[in-house]
Amino acid sequence: MNEPDVIQLDVDPVRFGQSFVGSEAFKALFQEGMELIEETAAYLDGPGREESRGLPRQESLVYASESMRLTTRLMQIASWLLLQRAVAEGEISSDQAQLEKNRVRLNSHDTPTTVVEYEALPARLRELMGLATRLHARILHLERLISEAGSAPLPSTPNPVATQLGMLQRAFGATE
């Protein structure tokens, strides 16, 4: 087999978003996100509620603010994951998903909580906040990659490698 048989120059590039949402990596990310949502809900409805009752007034307000911020972040993550899964399963098209993404706000949130206030929060809430923040950052990164790959125009100029290979073949009379 010679090299021109291996290099397929007329094949469209693989779109990252299309390949990612159907991958095992996406399934693992989806599972991780849903488990974090369930863990957080269980904590906030049970032990978290009890812990917040024992906090002084100011810390209780910070707890309420941070738990709402955490819940909002997790709902954004869930929306994004469910939207991507719908694309992967063929329930909606990539174009429909793009329209729906306008409703899913994956903004990074500025946290006005001070270090002292943060450290006064229960350890489990801080742990869940950290896990959600890291997952959110990963999803923001993936969303950028998917959006950039989907919006990048296909090159209209000839492939420079193909041009050079063609010149070499003509110059040296490569045989097949």
Side-chain angles (χ1 to χ4, degrees):
M1 181 183 304
N2 64 28
E3 205 168 25
D5 291 335
V6 176
I7 299 173
Q8 297 179 359
L9 303 174
D10 296 332
V11 176
D12 287 336
V14 174
R15 298 284 184 205
F16 174 75
Q18 293 169 347
S19 64
F20 178 72
V21 296
S23 71
E24 290 301 315
F26 175 75
K27 289 176 187 172
L29 179 69
F30 185 88
Q31 184 68 32
E32 179 185 345
M34 292 302 148
E35 286 175 3
L36 180 58
I37 290 166
E38 288 176 19
E39 283 178 44
T40 302
Y43 169 76
L44 291 175
D45 285 341
R49 183 172 291 162
E50 292 302 316
E51 290 175 343
S52 71
R53 287 184 184 141
L55 294 173
R57 186 173 190 282
Q58 181 59 33
E59 284 84 3
S60 181
L61 290 173
V62 173
Y63 178 95
S65 296
E66 289 303 326
S67 63
M68 285 191 47
R69 192 172 283 120
L70 174 61
T71 303
T72 301
R73 175 169 283 151
L74 289 173
M75 289 300 98
Q76 292 170 347
I77 288 170
S79 296
W80 187 87
L81 290 169
L82 290 167
L83 188 60
Q84 298 308 317
R85 186 177 72 174
V87 170
E89 294 178 354
E91 295 173 11
I92 63 172
S93 70
S94 313
D95 293 336
Q96 289 171 315
Q98 195 59 37
L99 292 172
E100 290 295 322
K101 283 181 189 177
N102 294 332
R103 296 182 190 161
V104 177
R105 304 275 185 235
L106 280 174
N107 309 345
S108 17
H109 300 287
D110 295 324
T111 305
T113 303
T114 66
V115 172
V116 172
E117 290 171 331
Y118 174 80
E119 289 174 351
L121 293 171
R124 181 65 178 147
L125 180 63
R126 290 192 318 255
E127 179 186 357
L128 291 168
M129 289 167 57
L131 292 170
T133 300
R134 284 189 289 284
L135 182 60
H136 188 257
R138 287 170 45 208
I139 287 175
L140 281 173
H141 178 70
L142 288 169
E143 177 58 27
R144 267 191 304 277
L145 290 174
I146 290 169
S147 295
E148 289 171 2
S151 66
L154 292 174
S156 59
T157 58
N159 182 328
V161 173
T163 304
Q164 291 296 316
L165 283 173
M167 290 169 56
L168 287 169
Q169 286 175 340
R170 285 189 301 278
F172 295 103
T175 59
E176 295 188 26

